[in-house]
Amino acid sequence: MAPMRVTALAGGVGAAKFLRGLVRATEPENVTIIGNTGDDAVFHNLHVSPDLDIVTYTLAGLVDDTLGWGIKQDTTHALDQMAGLGLETWFTLKDRDIGTHMARTTWLADGVPLSEVTDRIRRGLDVAARIIPMTDDPVRTRIVTSEGLTREFQEYFVRYRHSEEVAEVHFEGAETATPAPGVIDAISAAQRIIICPSNPVISIGPILAVPGIREALRERRDAVFAISPIVQGAALKGPAEKLLPVVGAEASASAVAGLYQDFCGTFIVDYRDAPEAGKIEDLGMRVMVLETVMETPGISRQLAKEILAAP
Ligand code: FO1
């Protein structure tokens, strides 16, 4: 039997943990990952694509496992030098990581689209799974705080440690963006489409905001499986429980299922949330109850295997 083609929609750290298991549960060459670029930012004239890099470094076995981002055992000589010269360095760019951003920025300046740049980086780091940005166009997540301040995403997330109360989330540029080459095909051709356990508002939200992507998923609703990023009312990482109310949802697995109802046929909840299954079935979705807290690589692989084996 030909191996199953799998496409995953991914944010950063939570997605990467799952994807590490997915590429061990199937042939990685048959996996396509559509990544969020709403978090992209320019620091010191370098184009940084944090979510694409987190996924790439994780699959390359390079990621700093303690942080979940960046490269393990990386050094900060360049940043220390910049700080010494008086530049702001609240966003930690380490030396080897800077090499990636210099390559990306150089290629983009030469007119190479982000999708091709991302492919060059993943091939250069020996990653077998295909990684595609959601779009080649600039889409930037902006956060409006309850005080009325508009923050760039990394300012909100890293500089102010997502401590500010959020009133609105915007995806600047999304309305006129088009899906990157390969995105719609990857959705149309896959036997399984997996929405990783990423933040529904700031990680999956920007991907769905690119015109055409949500519509393509709707066409494949029976093949779409989403893993809840919320377990027992809390996000395993990051500010999801604070951001869900901004889009009118409470912090629960069933509320996330509600956000995905139009394009997702099967919703996966952690066994600790088994009592929510009935509510999700009432939304017209199938429910799988599994261990989703990926404390070990073995758990991620098992979770992926169960999703791939589902009827
Ligand atoms: N996250 C932090 O909390 N602090 C940082 O200084 C930081 C630097 C950084 C540099 C490169 C990169 O690819 C990611 C980095 N991240 C950092 C992680 C990242 O900004 C966020 O986790 C994502 O944007 C949310 O998915």
Side-chain angles (χ1 to χ4, degrees):
M1 206 168 69
M4 190 181 259
R5 274 199 267 179
V6 184
T7 293
L9 268 59
V13 182
K17 266 192 173 178
F18 170 71
L19 293 167
R20 181 158 34 191
L22 178 64
V23 296
R24 281 168 180 75
T26 186
E27 298 296 322
E29 292 78 9
N30 292 311
V31 174
T32 300
I33 298 152
I34 301 171
N36 168 39
T37 57
D39 298 16
D40 284 21
V42 174
F43 291 101
H44 319 298
N45 289 319
L46 298 174
H47 184 120
V48 184
S49 295
D51 281 1
L52 297 177
D53 287 345
I54 288 168
V55 169
T56 308
Y57 291 161
T58 301
L59 298 186
L62 288 174
V63 81
D64 179 329
D65 280 312
T66 325
L67 296 170
W69 48 268
I71 295 178
K72 59 180 141 195
Q73 292 167 350
D74 208 349
T75 49
T76 56
H77 301 299
L79 202 72
D80 295 343
Q81 180 75 0
M82 286 190 262
L85 294 172
L87 291 185
E88 279 193 10
T89 52
W90 52 265
F91 195 74
T92 308
L93 292 178
K94 300 189 185 181
D95 298 325
R96 279 188 73 190
D97 188 34
I98 285 177
T100 304
H101 311 315
M102 290 179 82
R104 178 184 293 114
T105 306
T106 303
W107 286 324
L108 288 172
D110 287 346
V112 181
L114 184 63
S115 49
E116 169 60 23
V117 168
T118 306
D119 202 56
R120 286 185 189 179
I121 294 171
R122 71 97 185 166
R123 280 189 279 119
L125 296 178
D126 280 332
V127 172
R130 204 152 63 106
I131 303 171
I132 323 181
M134 61 195 200
T135 178
D136 281 335
D137 302 318
V139 173
R140 295 292 170 263
T141 301
R142 298 271 183 261
I143 304 289
V144 182
T145 71
S146 319
E147 314 267 274
L149 300 165
T150 300
R151 302 272 189 223
E152 290 189 13
F153 180 78
Q154 296 298 343
E155 269 192 305
Y156 159 74
F157 198 88
V158 172
R159 187 174 195 174
Y160 298 107
R161 296 169 195 280
H162 43 76
S163 59
E164 295 169 302
E165 208 179 305
V166 176
E168 292 165 37
V169 177
H170 297 284
F171 307 120
E172 219 175 86
E175 317 78 60
T176 53
T178 54
V183 166
I184 300 298
D185 285 351
I187 294 172
S188 309
Q191 277 87 43
R192 283 281 182 287
I193 301 155
I194 304 174
I195 315 293
C196 292
S198 298
N199 188 312
V201 183
I202 52 172
S203 300
I204 302 299
I207 305 178
L208 299 174
V210 176
I213 296 187
R214 191 175 195 126
E215 294 75 3
L217 290 169
R218 276 191 199 130
E219 298 279 309
R220 303 296 322 284
R221 190 174 184 274
D222 286 348
V224 178
F225 289 62
I227 305 165
S228 178
I230 300 286
V231 176
Q232 291 187 302
L236 296 173
K237 201 170 187 313
E241 69 250 35
K242 285 194 279 184
L243 290 169
L244 282 163
V246 178
V247 296
E250 59 174 37
S252 70
S254 54
V256 175
L259 296 176
Y260 295 167
Q261 185 186 11
D262 59 310
F263 64 82
C264 174
T266 305
F267 197 79
I268 295 134
V269 295
D270 190 81
Y271 72 87
R272 298 162 187 86
D273 284 330
E276 293 216 42
K279 262 195 198 172
I280 300 168
E281 279 162 355
D282 290 346
L283 296 168
M285 298 160 103
R286 289 197 309 168
V287 180
M288 291 171 76
V289 179
L290 298 170
E291 169 67 89
T292 69
V293 182
M294 293 175 279
E295 267 156 6
T296 64
I299 298 176
S300 319
R301 183 162 178 254
Q302 185 58 27
L303 176 59
K305 271 182 136 176
E306 306 237 21
I307 296 172
L308 300 181

